[in-house]
Amino acid sequence: MQLDDLYRRVIMDHYKNPRNRGTFDDQNVTIDLNNPTCGDKIQLQMQVEDGKVKAAKYTGRAARSACPPLP
């Protein structure tokens, strides 16, 4: 299998089966980012304990190649 084929498969798998999408009720760090040029908007939420990220989730809209569409 060529590296390009593997890359396409990984991208399509993440597109069809997104990971870590959603929000927490008890996050303690939230970062909002946006790119007004292309309209990308991302919110990253993290649960941090003892200076280490224990869990992370995201919501937002970005180019199709960057993340799967959100409902």
Side-chain angles (χ1 to χ4, degrees), residues 10-64:
V10 169
I11 293 295
M12 287 306 296
D13 180 49
H14 280 264
Y15 177 76
K16 292 177 180 178
N17 305 294
R19 280 83 163 171
N20 302 319
R21 184 171 68 186
T23 59
F24 293 116
D25 291 330
D26 59 346
Q27 83 282 355
N28 54 9
V29 176
T30 299
I31 301 169
D32 291 303
L33 301 168
N34 70 66
N35 183 340
T37 304
C38 64
D40 291 356
K41 293 183 179 186
I42 302 290
Q43 181 180 77
L44 176 64
Q45 295 184 339
M46 295 176 281
Q47 295 173 329
V48 179
E49 294 177 18
D50 299 323
K52 295 181 182 178
V53 176
K54 296 296 182 180
K57 290 191 176 192
Y58 74 93
T59 59
R61 297 208 180 274
R64 190 172 295 256

